[in-house]
CSV table of all heavy atoms in Angstrom, one decimal:
chain,number,residue,atom,x,y,z
A,1,MET,N,0.8,-1.2,0.0
A,1,MET,CA,0.0,0.0,0.0
A,1,MET,C,0.9,1.2,0.0
A,1,MET,O,2.0,1.2,0.4
A,1,MET,CB,-0.9,0.0,1.3
A,1,MET,CG,-1.9,-1.0,1.3
A,1,MET,SD,-3.0,-0.7,2.8
A,1,MET,CE,-1.9,-1.2,4.1
A,2,ARG,N,0.3,2.3,-0.5
A,2,ARG,CA,0.9,3.6,-0.3
A,2,ARG,C,-0.2,4.6,-0.2
A,2,ARG,O,-1.3,4.4,-0.7
A,2,ARG,CB,1.9,3.9,-1.5
A,2,ARG,CG,1.2,4.1,-2.8
A,2,ARG,CD,2.1,4.4,-3.9
A,2,ARG,NE,2.7,5.8,-3.7
A,2,ARG,CZ,3.9,6.1,-4.1
A,2,ARG,NH1,4.7,5.3,-4.7
A,2,ARG,NH2,4.4,7.3,-3.8
A,3,GLY,N,0.1,5.7,0.4
A,3,GLY,CA,-0.9,6.8,0.6
A,3,GLY,C,-0.3,8.0,1.1
A,3,GLY,O,0.9,8.1,1.3
A,4,GLU,N,-1.2,9.0,1.3
A,4,GLU,CA,-0.7,10.3,1.8
A,4,GLU,C,-1.8,11.0,2.5
A,4,GLU,O,-3.0,10.8,2.2
A,4,GLU,CB,-0.1,11.1,0.7
A,4,GLU,CG,-1.1,11.6,-0.3
A,4,GLU,CD,-0.5,12.5,-1.4
A,4,GLU,OE1,0.4,12.0,-2.1
A,4,GLU,OE2,-0.8,13.7,-1.4
A,5,ILE,N,-1.4,11.8,3.4
A,5,ILE,CA,-2.3,12.8,4.0
A,5,ILE,C,-1.9,14.2,3.6
A,5,ILE,O,-0.7,14.5,3.7
A,5,ILE,CB,-2.3,12.7,5.6
A,5,ILE,CG1,-2.8,11.4,6.1
A,5,ILE,CG2,-3.1,13.9,6.2
A,5,ILE,CD1,-2.7,11.2,7.6
A,6,GLY,N,-2.8,14.9,2.9
A,6,GLY,CA,-2.4,16.2,2.4
A,6,GLY,C,-3.4,17.3,3.0
A,6,GLY,O,-4.3,16.9,3.7
A,7,GLY,N,-3.1,18.4,2.6
A,7,GLY,CA,-4.0,19.6,3.1
A,7,GLY,C,-3.9,19.9,4.6
A,7,GLY,O,-4.8,20.5,5.1
A,8,ILE,N,-2.8,19.5,5.2
A,8,ILE,CA,-2.7,19.7,6.6
A,8,ILE,C,-2.7,21.2,6.9
A,8,ILE,O,-2.0,22.0,6.2
A,8,ILE,CB,-1.4,19.1,7.2
A,8,ILE,CG1,-1.5,17.6,6.9
A,8,ILE,CG2,-1.2,19.4,8.6
A,8,ILE,CD1,-0.2,16.8,7.3
A,9,GLY,N,-3.5,21.7,7.8
A,9,GLY,CA,-3.6,23.1,8.1
A,9,GLY,C,-4.7,23.8,7.3
A,9,GLY,O,-5.0,24.9,7.6
A,10,ARG,N,-5.2,23.1,6.3
A,10,ARG,CA,-6.3,23.7,5.5
A,10,ARG,C,-7.6,22.8,5.6
A,10,ARG,O,-8.4,23.0,6.4
A,10,ARG,CB,-5.9,23.9,4.1
A,10,ARG,CG,-4.7,24.8,3.9
A,10,ARG,CD,-4.4,25.0,2.4
A,10,ARG,NE,-4.5,23.8,1.6
A,10,ARG,CZ,-3.5,23.0,1.3
A,10,ARG,NH1,-2.4,23.2,2.0
A,10,ARG,NH2,-3.7,21.9,0.6
A,11,ALA,N,-7.6,21.8,4.8
A,11,ALA,CA,-8.6,20.8,4.8
A,11,ALA,C,-8.0,19.4,4.6
A,11,ALA,O,-7.8,19.0,3.4
A,11,ALA,CB,-9.6,21.1,3.7
A,12,PRO,N,-7.6,18.7,5.7
A,12,PRO,CA,-6.8,17.5,5.5
A,12,PRO,C,-7.6,16.4,4.8
A,12,PRO,O,-8.8,16.3,4.9
A,12,PRO,CB,-6.5,17.0,6.9
A,12,PRO,CG,-7.5,17.8,7.8
A,12,PRO,CD,-7.9,19.0,7.1
A,13,ASP,N,-6.9,15.6,4.0
A,13,ASP,CA,-7.5,14.5,3.3
A,13,ASP,C,-6.5,13.3,3.2
A,13,ASP,O,-5.3,13.5,3.4
A,13,ASP,CB,-7.9,14.9,1.8
A,13,ASP,CG,-6.7,15.3,1.0
A,13,ASP,OD1,-5.8,15.9,1.5
A,13,ASP,OD2,-6.8,14.9,-0.2
A,14,PHE,N,-7.0,12.1,3.1
A,14,PHE,CA,-6.2,10.9,3.1
A,14,PHE,C,-6.6,10.1,1.8
A,14,PHE,O,-7.7,9.9,1.6
A,14,PHE,CB,-6.5,10.2,4.4
A,14,PHE,CG,-5.9,8.8,4.4
A,14,PHE,CD1,-4.6,8.6,4.2
A,14,PHE,CD2,-6.7,7.7,4.6
A,14,PHE,CE1,-4.1,7.3,4.2
A,14,PHE,CE2,-6.2,6.4,4.7
A,14,PHE,CZ,-4.9,6.2,4.5
A,15,VAL,N,-5.6,9.7,1.1
A,15,VAL,CA,-5.7,8.8,0.0
A,15,VAL,C,-4.7,7.7,0.1
A,15,VAL,O,-3.6,7.8,0.5
A,15,VAL,CB,-5.4,9.6,-1.4
A,15,VAL,CG1,-5.5,8.7,-2.5
A,15,VAL,CG2,-6.3,10.8,-1.5
A,16,ALA,N,-5.3,6.4,-0.1
A,16,ALA,CA,-4.4,5.2,-0.1
A,16,ALA,C,-4.7,4.4,-1.4
A,16,ALA,O,-5.8,4.4,-1.9
A,16,ALA,CB,-4.7,4.4,1.1
A,17,ARG,N,-3.6,3.8,-1.9
A,17,ARG,CA,-3.7,2.9,-3.1
A,17,ARG,C,-3.1,1.6,-2.7
A,17,ARG,O,-2.1,1.5,-2.0
A,17,ARG,CB,-3.1,3.6,-4.3
A,17,ARG,CG,-3.8,4.8,-4.7
A,17,ARG,CD,-3.2,5.4,-6.0
A,17,ARG,NE,-3.9,6.6,-6.4
A,17,ARG,CZ,-5.1,6.6,-7.0
A,17,ARG,NH1,-5.6,5.4,-7.4
A,17,ARG,NH2,-5.7,7.7,-7.4
A,18,GLY,N,-3.5,0.6,-3.4
A,18,GLY,CA,-3.0,-0.8,-3.3
A,18,GLY,C,-1.7,-0.9,-4.0
A,18,GLY,O,-1.3,0.1,-4.8
A,19,ALA,N,-1.0,-2.0,-3.9
A,19,ALA,CA,0.3,-2.2,-4.6
A,19,ALA,C,0.2,-2.1,-6.1
A,19,ALA,O,1.1,-1.7,-6.8
A,19,ALA,CB,0.9,-3.6,-4.2
A,20,ASP,N,-1.0,-2.4,-6.6
A,20,ASP,CA,-1.2,-2.4,-8.1
A,20,ASP,C,-1.8,-1.0,-8.5
A,20,ASP,O,-2.1,-0.8,-9.7
A,20,ASP,CB,-2.2,-3.4,-8.5
A,20,ASP,CG,-3.6,-3.3,-7.9
A,20,ASP,OD1,-3.8,-2.4,-7.0
A,20,ASP,OD2,-4.5,-4.1,-8.2
A,21,GLY,N,-1.9,0.0,-7.6
A,21,GLY,CA,-2.3,1.3,-7.9
A,21,GLY,C,-3.8,1.6,-7.8
A,21,GLY,O,-4.2,2.7,-8.0
A,22,HIS,N,-4.6,0.5,-7.5
A,22,HIS,CA,-6.0,0.8,-7.4
A,22,HIS,C,-6.4,1.5,-6.1
A,22,HIS,O,-5.7,1.4,-5.1
A,22,HIS,CB,-6.9,-0.5,-7.5
A,22,HIS,CG,-6.8,-1.4,-6.3
A,22,HIS,ND1,-5.7,-2.3,-6.0
A,22,HIS,CD2,-7.6,-1.5,-5.2
A,22,HIS,CE1,-5.9,-2.9,-4.9
A,22,HIS,NE2,-7.1,-2.4,-4.4
A,23,LEU,N,-7.3,2.4,-6.2
A,23,LEU,CA,-7.7,3.3,-5.1
A,23,LEU,C,-8.4,2.5,-4.0
A,23,LEU,O,-9.3,1.7,-4.2
A,23,LEU,CB,-8.7,4.3,-5.5
A,23,LEU,CG,-9.2,5.4,-4.5
A,23,LEU,CD1,-8.0,6.3,-4.1
A,23,LEU,CD2,-10.3,6.2,-5.1
A,24,LEU,N,-7.8,2.6,-2.7
A,24,LEU,CA,-8.4,1.9,-1.6
A,24,LEU,C,-9.3,2.8,-0.8
A,24,LEU,O,-10.3,2.4,-0.3
A,24,LEU,CB,-7.2,1.4,-0.7
A,24,LEU,CG,-6.3,0.4,-1.3
A,24,LEU,CD1,-5.2,0.1,-0.3
A,24,LEU,CD2,-7.1,-0.9,-1.6
A,25,VAL,N,-8.9,4.0,-0.6
A,25,VAL,CA,-9.7,5.0,0.1
A,25,VAL,C,-9.4,6.4,-0.3
A,25,VAL,O,-8.2,6.7,-0.7
A,25,VAL,CB,-9.5,4.8,1.7
A,25,VAL,CG1,-8.1,5.2,2.1
A,25,VAL,CG2,-10.5,5.6,2.5
A,26,GLU,N,-10.4,7.2,-0.3
A,26,GLU,CA,-10.2,8.7,-0.5
A,26,GLU,C,-11.1,9.3,0.5
A,26,GLU,O,-12.4,9.3,0.4
A,26,GLU,CB,-10.6,9.1,-1.9
A,26,GLU,CG,-10.2,10.5,-2.2
A,26,GLU,CD,-10.3,10.8,-3.7
A,26,GLU,OE1,-10.9,10.1,-4.5
A,26,GLU,OE2,-9.8,11.9,-4.1
A,27,ASP,N,-10.5,9.8,1.6
A,27,ASP,CA,-11.3,10.3,2.8
A,27,ASP,C,-11.0,11.8,3.0
A,27,ASP,O,-9.8,12.1,3.2
A,27,ASP,CB,-10.9,9.5,4.0
A,27,ASP,CG,-11.6,9.8,5.2
A,27,ASP,OD1,-12.4,10.7,5.3
A,27,ASP,OD2,-11.5,9.0,6.2
A,28,GLY,N,-12.0,12.6,3.0
A,28,GLY,CA,-11.9,14.0,3.3
A,28,GLY,C,-11.6,14.3,4.7
A,28,GLY,O,-11.3,15.5,5.1
A,29,LEU,N,-11.6,13.3,5.6
A,29,LEU,CA,-11.3,13.5,7.1
A,29,LEU,C,-12.1,14.7,7.6
A,29,LEU,O,-11.6,15.5,8.4
A,29,LEU,CB,-9.8,13.8,7.3
A,29,LEU,CG,-8.8,12.7,6.8
A,29,LEU,CD1,-7.4,13.1,7.0
A,29,LEU,CD2,-9.1,11.4,7.5
A,30,GLU,N,-13.4,14.6,7.3
A,30,GLU,CA,-14.3,15.7,7.8
A,30,GLU,C,-14.4,15.7,9.3
A,30,GLU,O,-14.7,16.8,9.9
A,30,GLU,CB,-15.7,15.5,7.2
A,30,GLU,CG,-15.8,15.8,5.7
A,30,GLU,CD,-15.5,14.5,4.9
A,30,GLU,OE1,-15.3,13.4,5.5
A,30,GLU,OE2,-15.4,14.7,3.7
A,31,ASN,N,-14.1,14.6,10.0
A,31,ASN,CA,-14.2,14.6,11.4
A,31,ASN,C,-13.0,15.1,12.1
A,31,ASN,O,-12.9,15.1,13.3
A,31,ASN,CB,-14.5,13.1,11.9
A,31,ASN,CG,-13.5,12.1,11.5
A,31,ASN,OD1,-12.8,12.4,10.5
A,31,ASN,ND2,-13.5,11.0,12.1
A,32,ILE,N,-12.0,15.5,11.4
A,32,ILE,CA,-10.8,16.1,11.9
A,32,ILE,C,-10.7,17.6,11.6
A,32,ILE,O,-10.9,18.0,10.5
A,32,ILE,CB,-9.5,15.4,11.4
A,32,ILE,CG1,-9.5,13.9,11.9
A,32,ILE,CG2,-8.2,16.1,11.9
A,32,ILE,CD1,-8.4,13.1,11.5
A,33,GLN,N,-10.5,18.4,12.6
A,33,GLN,CA,-10.4,19.9,12.4
A,33,GLN,C,-9.4,20.2,11.4
A,33,GLN,O,-8.3,19.6,11.4
A,33,GLN,CB,-10.1,20.6,13.7
A,33,GLN,CG,-11.2,20.4,14.8
A,33,GLN,CD,-12.6,21.0,14.3
A,33,GLN,OE1,-12.6,22.1,13.8
A,33,GLN,NE2,-13.6,20.2,14.5
A,34,PRO,N,-9.6,21.2,10.6
A,34,PRO,CA,-8.6,21.6,9.5
A,34,PRO,C,-7.3,21.9,10.1
A,34,PRO,O,-6.2,21.7,9.5
A,34,PRO,CB,-9.2,22.9,8.9
A,34,PRO,CG,-10.7,22.7,9.1
A,34,PRO,CD,-10.8,22.0,10.4
A,35,ASP,N,-7.2,22.5,11.3
A,35,ASP,CA,-5.9,22.9,11.9
A,35,ASP,C,-5.5,21.8,13.0
A,35,ASP,O,-4.7,22.1,13.9
A,35,ASP,CB,-6.0,24.3,12.6
A,35,ASP,CG,-7.1,24.3,13.7
A,35,ASP,OD1,-7.9,23.3,13.8
A,35,ASP,OD2,-7.1,25.3,14.4
A,36,ALA,N,-5.9,20.6,12.8
A,36,ALA,CA,-5.6,19.5,13.7
A,36,ALA,C,-4.0,19.3,13.8
A,36,ALA,O,-3.3,19.5,12.8
A,36,ALA,CB,-6.2,18.2,13.3
A,37,ALA,N,-3.6,19.0,14.9
A,37,ALA,CA,-2.2,18.6,15.1
A,37,ALA,C,-1.8,17.4,14.3
A,37,ALA,O,-2.7,16.6,14.0
A,37,ALA,CB,-1.9,18.4,16.6
A,38,HIS,N,-0.6,17.3,13.9
A,38,HIS,CA,-0.1,16.2,13.2
A,38,HIS,C,-0.4,14.9,13.9
A,38,HIS,O,-0.7,13.9,13.3
A,38,HIS,CB,1.4,16.3,12.9
A,38,HIS,CG,1.7,17.3,11.9
A,38,HIS,ND1,1.7,18.7,12.1
A,38,HIS,CD2,2.0,17.2,10.5
A,38,HIS,CE1,2.0,19.3,11.0
A,38,HIS,NE2,2.2,18.4,10.0
A,39,ALA,N,-0.3,14.9,15.3
A,39,ALA,CA,-0.6,13.7,16.1
A,39,ALA,C,-1.9,13.1,15.8
A,39,ALA,O,-2.1,11.9,15.7
A,39,ALA,CB,-0.4,14.0,17.5
A,40,ALA,N,-3.0,14.0,15.7
A,40,ALA,CA,-4.3,13.5,15.4
A,40,ALA,C,-4.4,12.8,14.0
A,40,ALA,O,-5.1,11.8,13.9
A,40,ALA,CB,-5.3,14.7,15.5
A,41,LEU,N,-3.7,13.4,13.1
A,41,LEU,CA,-3.7,12.9,11.7
A,41,LEU,C,-3.0,11.5,11.7
A,41,LEU,O,-3.4,10.6,11.0
A,41,LEU,CB,-3.2,13.9,10.7
A,41,LEU,CG,-4.0,15.1,10.6
A,41,LEU,CD1,-3.2,16.2,9.9
A,41,LEU,CD2,-5.3,14.9,9.9
A,42,ILE,N,-1.9,11.4,12.4
A,42,ILE,CA,-1.1,10.2,12.4
A,42,ILE,C,-1.8,9.1,13.1
A,42,ILE,O,-1.9,8.0,12.6
A,42,ILE,CB,0.3,10.5,13.1
A,42,ILE,CG1,1.2,11.4,12.2
A,42,ILE,CG2,1.0,9.1,13.3
A,42,ILE,CD1,1.5,10.8,10.9
A,43,LEU,N,-2.5,9.5,14.2
A,43,LEU,CA,-3.4,8.5,14.9
A,43,LEU,C,-4.4,7.9,13.9
A,43,LEU,O,-4.6,6.7,13.8
A,43,LEU,CB,-4.0,9.1,16.1
A,43,LEU,CG,-4.9,8.2,16.9
A,43,LEU,CD1,-4.1,7.0,17.4
A,43,LEU,CD2,-5.5,9.0,18.1
A,44,ARG,N,-5.1,8.8,13.2
A,44,ARG,CA,-6.1,8.4,12.2
A,44,ARG,C,-5.5,7.5,11.2
A,44,ARG,O,-6.1,6.4,10.8
A,44,ARG,CB,-6.8,9.6,11.6
A,44,ARG,CG,-7.7,9.3,10.5
A,44,ARG,CD,-9.1,8.8,11.0
A,44,ARG,NE,-10.0,8.8,10.0
A,44,ARG,CZ,-10.3,7.7,9.2
A,44,ARG,NH1,-9.7,6.6,9.4
A,44,ARG,NH2,-11.2,7.8,8.3
A,45,LEU,N,-4.3,7.8,10.7
A,45,LEU,CA,-3.6,7.0,9.7
A,45,LEU,C,-3.3,5.6,10.2
A,45,LEU,O,-3.6,4.6,9.6
A,45,LEU,CB,-2.3,7.6,9.2
A,45,LEU,CG,-1.5,6.8,8.3
A,45,LEU,CD1,-2.2,6.5,7.0
A,45,LEU,CD2,-0.2,7.6,8.1
A,46,PHE,N,-2.8,5.5,11.4
A,46,PHE,CA,-2.4,4.2,12.0
A,46,PHE,C,-3.7,3.4,12.3
A,46,PHE,O,-3.6,2.2,12.1
A,46,PHE,CB,-1.6,4.4,13.3
A,46,PHE,CG,-0.2,4.8,13.1
A,46,PHE,CD1,0.6,5.1,14.2
A,46,PHE,CD2,0.4,4.8,11.8
A,46,PHE,CE1,1.9,5.5,14.0
A,46,PHE,CE2,1.7,5.2,11.6
A,46,PHE,CZ,2.5,5.5,12.7
A,47,GLU,N,-4.8,4.0,12.7
A,47,GLU,CA,-6.0,3.3,12.9
A,47,GLU,C,-6.5,2.7,11.5
A,47,GLU,O,-6.9,1.5,11.5
A,47,GLU,CB,-7.1,4.2,13.4
A,47,GLU,CG,-6.9,4.6,14.9
A,47,GLU,CD,-7.8,5.6,15.3
A,47,GLU,OE1,-8.6,6.2,14.5
A,47,GLU,OE2,-7.9,5.9,16.5
A,48,TRP,N,-6.4,3.4,10.5
A,48,TRP,CA,-6.8,2.9,9.2
A,48,TRP,C,-5.9,1.7,8.8
A,48,TRP,O,-6.4,0.7,8.3
A,48,TRP,CB,-6.8,4.0,8.1
A,48,TRP,CG,-7.3,3.5,6.8
A,48,TRP,CD1,-8.6,3.6,6.4
A,48,TRP,CD2,-6.6,2.9,5.7
A,48,TRP,NE1,-8.8,3.1,5.2
A,48,TRP,CE2,-7.6,2.6,4.7
A,48,TRP,CE3,-5.3,2.6,5.6
A,48,TRP,CZ2,-7.2,2.0,3.5
A,48,TRP,CZ3,-4.9,2.0,4.3
A,48,TRP,CH2,-5.9,1.7,3.4
A,49,ILE,N,-4.6,1.9,8.9
A,49,ILE,CA,-3.7,0.8,8.6
A,49,ILE,C,-4.0,-0.5,9.4
A,49,ILE,O,-4.0,-1.5,8.8
A,49,ILE,CB,-2.2,1.3,8.8
A,49,ILE,CG1,-1.8,2.4,7.8
A,49,ILE,CG2,-1.2,0.1,8.7
A,49,ILE,CD1,-0.5,3.0,8.1
A,50,GLU,N,-4.2,-0.4,10.6
A,50,GLU,CA,-4.5,-1.5,11.4
A,50,GLU,C,-5.8,-2.2,11.0
A,50,GLU,O,-5.9,-3.4,11.0
A,50,GLU,CB,-4.7,-1.1,12.9
A,50,GLU,CG,-3.3,-0.9,13.6
A,50,GLU,CD,-3.5,-0.5,15.1
A,50,GLU,OE1,-4.6,-0.7,15.6
A,50,GLU,OE2,-2.5,-0.1,15.6
A,51,ASP,N,-6.8,-1.4,10.5
A,51,ASP,CA,-8.0,-2.0,10.0
A,51,ASP,C,-7.9,-2.6,8.6
A,51,ASP,O,-8.8,-3.4,8.2
A,51,ASP,CB,-9.1,-1.0,10.0
A,51,ASP,CG,-9.6,-0.5,11.4
A,51,ASP,OD1,-9.3,-1.3,12.4
A,51,ASP,OD2,-10.2,0.5,11.5
A,52,HIS,N,-6.9,-2.3,7.9
A,52,HIS,CA,-6.8,-2.7,6.5
A,52,HIS,C,-5.5,-3.3,6.1
A,52,HIS,O,-5.3,-3.5,4.9
A,52,HIS,CB,-7.0,-1.4,5.5
A,52,HIS,CG,-8.4,-0.8,5.7
A,52,HIS,ND1,-8.6,0.1,6.7
A,52,HIS,CD2,-9.5,-1.1,5.0
A,52,HIS,CE1,-9.9,0.4,6.6
A,52,HIS,NE2,-10.5,-0.3,5.6
A,53,ASN,N,-4.7,-3.8,7.0
A,53,ASN,CA,-3.4,-4.3,6.6
A,53,ASN,C,-3.4,-5.8,6.4
A,53,ASN,O,-2.4,-6.4,6.2
A,53,ASN,CB,-2.3,-3.9,7.6
A,53,ASN,CG,-2.5,-4.6,9.0
A,53,ASN,OD1,-3.4,-5.4,9.2
A,53,ASN,ND2,-1.6,-4.3,9.9
A,54,GLY,N,-4.5,-6.5,6.6
A,54,GLY,CA,-4.7,-7.9,6.3
A,54,GLY,C,-3.8,-8.7,7.3
A,54,GLY,O,-3.4,-9.8,6.9
A,55,GLY,N,-3.5,-8.2,8.5
A,55,GLY,CA,-2.7,-8.9,9.4
A,55,GLY,C,-1.2,-8.9,9.2
A,55,GLY,O,-0.5,-9.5,9.9
A,56,MET,N,-0.8,-8.1,8.2
A,56,MET,CA,0.6,-8.0,7.9
A,56,MET,C,1.3,-7.0,8.9
A,56,MET,O,0.6,-6.1,9.4
A,56,MET,CB,0.8,-7.5,6.5
A,56,MET,CG,0.5,-8.5,5.4
A,56,MET,SD,1.1,-8.1,3.8
A,56,MET,CE,-0.2,-7.0,3.2
A,57,GLU,N,2.5,-7.2,9.1
A,57,GLU,CA,3.3,-6.3,10.0
A,57,GLU,C,3.9,-5.1,9.2
A,57,GLU,O,4.4,-5.3,8.1
A,57,GLU,CB,4.5,-7.1,10.6
A,57,GLU,CG,5.3,-6.3,11.6
A,57,GLU,CD,6.4,-7.1,12.1
A,57,GLU,OE1,6.5,-8.3,11.8
A,57,GLU,OE2,7.2,-6.6,12.9
A,58,MET,N,3.8,-3.9,9.8
A,58,MET,CA,4.3,-2.7,9.2
A,58,MET,C,5.8,-2.8,9.4
A,58,MET,O,6.3,-2.9,10.6
A,58,MET,CB,3.7,-1.5,9.8
A,58,MET,CG,4.1,-0.2,9.1
A,58,MET,SD,3.5,1.3,9.7
A,58,MET,CE,2.0,0.9,10.5
A,59,VAL,N,6.6,-2.6,8.4
A,59,VAL,CA,8.1,-2.7,8.5
A,59,VAL,C,8.8,-1.4,8.1
A,59,VAL,O,9.9,-1.2,8.4
A,59,VAL,CB,8.7,-3.8,7.7
A,59,VAL,CG1,8.2,-5.2,8.3
A,59,VAL,CG2,8.4,-3.7,6.2
A,60,ALA,N,8.1,-0.5,7.5
A,60,ALA,CA,8.8,0.8,7.1
A,60,ALA,C,7.7,1.9,6.9
A,60,ALA,O,6.5,1.6,6.5
A,60,ALA,CB,9.5,0.6,5.7
A,61,ILE,N,8.1,3.1,7.2
A,61,ILE,CA,7.3,4.3,7.0
A,61,ILE,C,8.2,5.3,6.3
A,61,ILE,O,9.3,5.6,6.8
A,61,ILE,CB,6.7,4.8,8.3
A,61,ILE,CG1,5.8,3.8,8.9
A,61,ILE,CG2,5.9,6.1,8.1
A,61,ILE,CD1,5.2,4.1,10.3
A,62,GLY,N,7.7,6.0,5.3
A,62,GLY,CA,8.4,7.1,4.7
A,62,GLY,C,7.7,8.4,5.0
A,62,GLY,O,6.5,8.4,5.3
A,63,HIS,N,8.4,9.5,5.0
A,63,HIS,CA,7.8,10.8,5.3
A,63,HIS,C,8.4,11.8,4.3
A,63,HIS,O,9.6,11.8,4.2
A,63,HIS,CB,8.0,11.2,6.7
A,63,HIS,CG,7.5,12.5,7.1
A,63,HIS,ND1,8.2,13.7,7.2
A,63,HIS,CD2,6.2,12.9,7.3
A,63,HIS,CE1,7.4,14.7,7.5
A,63,HIS,NE2,6.2,14.3,7.6
A,64,ARG,N,7.6,12.6,3.7
A,64,ARG,CA,8.0,13.6,2.8
A,64,ARG,C,7.3,14.9,3.1
A,64,ARG,O,6.1,14.9,3.2
A,64,ARG,CB,7.8,13.2,1.3
A,64,ARG,CG,8.4,14.2,0.3
A,64,ARG,CD,8.1,13.7,-1.1
A,64,ARG,NE,7.2,14.7,-1.6
A,64,ARG,CZ,6.4,14.5,-2.7
A,64,ARG,NH1,6.3,13.3,-3.2
A,64,ARG,NH2,5.6,15.4,-3.1
A,65,VAL,N,8.0,16.0,3.2
A,65,VAL,CA,7.4,17.3,3.5
A,65,VAL,C,7.7,18.2,2.3
A,65,VAL,O,8.8,18.3,1.8
A,65,VAL,CB,8.0,17.9,4.7
A,65,VAL,CG1,7.4,19.4,4.9
A,65,VAL,CG2,7.8,17.1,6.0
A,66,VAL,N,6.6,18.8,1.8
A,66,VAL,CA,6.7,19.6,0.6
A,66,VAL,C,6.2,21.0,1.0
A,66,VAL,O,5.0,21.1,1.5
A,66,VAL,CB,5.9,19.1,-0.6
A,66,VAL,CG1,6.0,20.0,-1.8
A,66,VAL,CG2,6.4,17.7,-1.0
A,67,HIS,N,7.0,22.0,0.8
A,67,HIS,CA,6.6,23.4,1.2
A,67,HIS,C,6.5,24.2,-0.1
A,67,HIS,O,7.5,24.1,-0.9
A,67,HIS,CB,7.5,24.0,2.2
A,67,HIS,CG,7.4,23.4,3.5
A,67,HIS,ND1,6.5,23.8,4.5
A,67,HIS,CD2,8.2,22.5,4.1
A,67,HIS,CE1,6.7,23.1,5.5
A,67,HIS,NE2,7.7,22.2,5.3
A,68,GLY,N,5.5,25.0,-0.3
A,68,GLY,CA,5.4,25.8,-1.5
A,68,GLY,C,5.5,27.3,-1.0
A,68,GLY,O,5.7,27.6,0.1
A,69,GLY,N,5.3,28.1,-2.0
A,69,GLY,CA,5.3,29.5,-1.6
A,69,GLY,C,6.4,30.3,-2.3
A,69,GLY,O,7.1,29.8,-3.2
A,70,LEU,N,6.7,31.4,-1.7
A,70,LEU,CA,7.7,32.3,-2.3
A,70,LEU,C,9.2,31.9,-1.9
A,70,LEU,O,10.1,32.4,-2.5
A,70,LEU,CB,7.5,33.8,-1.8
A,70,LEU,CG,6.1,34.3,-2.3
A,70,LEU,CD1,5.9,35.7,-1.7
A,70,LEU,CD2,6.0,34.4,-3.8
A,71,ARG,N,9.3,31.1,-0.9
A,71,ARG,CA,10.7,30.7,-0.5
A,71,ARG,C,11.0,29.3,-0.7
A,71,ARG,O,10.2,28.4,-0.5
A,71,ARG,CB,10.8,31.0,1.0
A,71,ARG,CG,10.7,32.5,1.3
A,71,ARG,CD,10.9,32.6,2.8
A,71,ARG,NE,10.4,34.0,3.1
A,71,ARG,CZ,10.4,34.5,4.3
A,71,ARG,NH1,10.9,33.8,5.3
A,71,ARG,NH2,9.9,35.7,4.6
């Protein structure tokens, strides 16, 4: 699986895809406040993974931060 949480600080959303690229979930995270702390978003992500990992063990996590703007 692979996925991402985007829109942090504005309107967070979560998208996950299977190994073959098919869409597993596209969640607007309406129940999480737009300015939610990263901890709340990570908790939501881990809950989703536990519910959908098919009993497999998580062995790696990657993190990428992208900043836009004038700088």
Side-chain angles (χ1 to χ4, degrees):
M1 290 186 288
R2 69 178 293 150
E4 68 179 64
I5 295 176
I8 298 172
R10 298 184 321 272
D13 65 322
F14 169 55
V15 176
R17 296 187 177 278
D20 63 358
H22 73 277
L23 184 66
L24 297 173
V25 66
E26 189 168 14
D27 184 352
L29 301 176
E30 291 85 7
N31 57 340
I32 295 180
Q33 296 297 317
D35 60 348
H38 286 79
L41 296 167
I42 294 297
L43 179 61
R44 173 73 168 94
L45 173 62
F46 284 174
E47 289 171 351
W48 187 89
I49 290 171
E50 285 181 10
D51 290 343
H52 296 87
N53 70 359
M56 292 193 275
E57 180 182 358
M58 187 180 337
V59 295
I61 297 174
H63 180 257
R64 186 179 113 201
V65 177
V66 178
H67 292 277
L70 299 175
R71 298 181 194 180

